[in-house]
């Protein structure tokens, strides 16, 4: 596997019931100190409220430079995956004294080895525009790190971002903090 010298932090968005095992397999192959998966490892969110879950997700996306979407058979039907992609593509100002700004994240679509892919519309639009990077599961060994690096570089190509439609869910009422719509 080709390794990059630069450390990249990434958040993994996926349909939990159908793609969890793929996430575990991916983590098993990414034993690398140059990458940091900001997804949930040991945290059980099953009893959390939508607000609590979204706060945890928001923090992890905020701390990442790239969002990696696992695309399987049910991904496109997940309102949570759509919200995670939508939030990843926003320029957001934090509340509090620091008023830090989080720019849009890079976006990678990792197509899983399944019979049929249900790609979220928002992700498909960003693949078509050239903002999101496509990666096939069979190419992880050679292309994972270069794909994350390309997505990281694409973060400055704001004109390619397609993120107009509001998500179906808005668990935190975050729309007031958004600085720019892409």
């Amino acid at each position: 596997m080709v390794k990059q010298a630069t450390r990249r932090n990434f958040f993994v968005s996926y349909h939990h019931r159908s793609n969890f095992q793929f996430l575990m397999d991916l983590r098993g192959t990414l034993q690398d100190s140059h990458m940091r998966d900001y997804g949930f490892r040991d945290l059980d969110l099953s009893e959390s409220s939508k607000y609590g879950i979204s706060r945890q997700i928001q923090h992890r996306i905020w701390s990442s430079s790239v969002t990696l979407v696992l695309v399987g058979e049910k991904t496109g039907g997940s309102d949570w995956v759509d919200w995670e992609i939508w939030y990843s593509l926003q320029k957001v100002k934090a509340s509090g004294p620091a008023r830090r700004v989080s720019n849009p994240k890079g976006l990678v679509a990792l197509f899983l080895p399944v019979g049929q892919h249900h790609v979220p519309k928002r992700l498909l639009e960003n693949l078509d525009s050239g903002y999101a990077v496509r990666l096939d599961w069979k190419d992880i060994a050679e292309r994972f790190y270069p794909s994350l690096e390309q997505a990281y570089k694409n973060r400055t190509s704001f004109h390619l971002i397609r993120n107009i439609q509001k998500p179906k869910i808005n668990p935190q009422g975050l729309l007031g903090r958004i600085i720019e719509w892409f």
Side-chain angles (χ1 to χ4, degrees), residues 20-35:
F20 182 73
Q21 187 56 52
F22 287 110
L23 173 65
M24 299 314 299
D25 293 346
L26 179 65
R27 285 180 174 157
T29 64
L30 298 178
Q31 303 296 327
D32 185 340
S33 62
H34 295 295
M35 299 304 221

Side-chain angles (χ1 to χ4, degrees), residues 152-167:
Y152 178 82
K153 290 176 183 175
N154 287 357
R155 296 177 325 145
T156 59
S157 300
F158 299 129
H159 65 284
L160 296 176
I161 295 175
R162 303 295 181 259
N163 202 29
I164 301 290
Q165 188 172 355
K166 293 180 184 177

Side-chain angles (χ1 to χ4, degrees), residues 48-56 58 80 171-173 177:
S48 299
S49 68
K50 284 184 180 184
Y51 177 80
I53 292 170
S54 64
R55 293 291 293 171
Q56 294 287 335
Q58 177 189 4
W80 278 100
Q172 294 183 25
R177 295 185 195 157

Side-chain angles (χ1 to χ4, degrees), residues 6 13 50 54 91 102 105 110 119 126 130 143 165 170 173 176:
T6 305
S13 178
K50 284 184 180 184
S54 64
K91 184 172 184 177
S102 173
K105 309 304 176 193
L110 176 55
V119 184
N126 283 282
R143 298 218 358 92
Q165 188 172 355
N170 186 19

Side-chain angles (χ1 to χ4, degrees), residues 2-40:
V2 177
K3 294 183 182 181
Q4 299 292 326
T6 305
R7 183 180 178 140
R8 298 286 175 237
N9 301 325
F10 62 95
F11 175 81
V12 181
S13 178
Y14 65 101
H15 183 268
H16 183 76
R17 284 189 204 109
S18 62
N19 297 330
F20 182 73
Q21 187 56 52
F22 287 110
L23 173 65
M24 299 314 299
D25 293 346
L26 179 65
R27 285 180 174 157
T29 64
L30 298 178
Q31 303 296 327
D32 185 340
S33 62
H34 295 295
M35 299 304 221
R36 183 137 185 223
D37 169 5
Y38 271 49
F40 298 96

